Amino acid sequence: MRRTYFGEFEEVVLLMVAILDGQAYGVTISQEIEQHTGRLVTFGTVHNTLVRMEEKGFVKSELGGVTTERGGRRKRFFSVTALCSRALQDIQQMRRELWQLIPPRSLTLSGL
């Protein structure tokens, strides 16, 4: 089976969708990425990534109910698909294996 590769930002977004477990929408994903990584991302960047990942079958979305806090607009909630879960697990395993191959002194911080 061919391995799936994501860009770094795509992987972060997909991990956040999985972490939020059914409560992921553009704003929460942006906020959580900033909180956990310190990285500022715009809603539009996250939205475009989600649309692209949905077209490829890695996430699915559904509209939530109408809320007064959003002026009657509905939120689009995202969740990961089985294809995405498998791809993320494969990536995690590959990275774990690569990290284990690094000689112990190879990443020392001497000289900084």
Side-chain angles (χ1 to χ4, degrees), residues 37-77:
T37 69
R39 183 175 180 175
L40 293 175
V41 294
T42 65
F43 168 77
T45 303
V46 170
H47 176 76
N48 290 338
T49 302
L50 289 169
V51 168
R52 192 173 56 253
M53 293 293 101
E54 188 167 30
E55 289 172 354
K56 293 180 178 180
F58 293 112
V59 295
K60 58 185 176 187
S61 68
E62 61 183 59
L63 290 173
V66 175
T67 61
T68 56
E69 69 180 348
R70 294 174 40 91
R73 291 179 301 147
R74 301 166 73 181
K75 296 176 184 173
R76 180 171 293 280
F77 291 98

Side-chain angles (χ1 to χ4, degrees), residues 28 33 40 60 71 112:
T28 58
I33 289 173
L40 293 175
K60 58 185 176 187
L112 288 180

Side-chain angles (χ1 to χ4, degrees), residues 2 5 9 32-33 49 51-52 55 59 63 66 89 93 95 98 100 109:
R2 194 170 153 210
Y5 295 96
F9 185 70
E32 292 295 318
I33 289 173
T49 302
V51 168
R52 192 173 56 253
E55 289 172 354
V59 295
L63 290 173
V66 175
Q89 290 174 11
Q93 180 179 346
R95 288 181 185 214
L98 289 173
Q100 290 174 350
L109 299 175

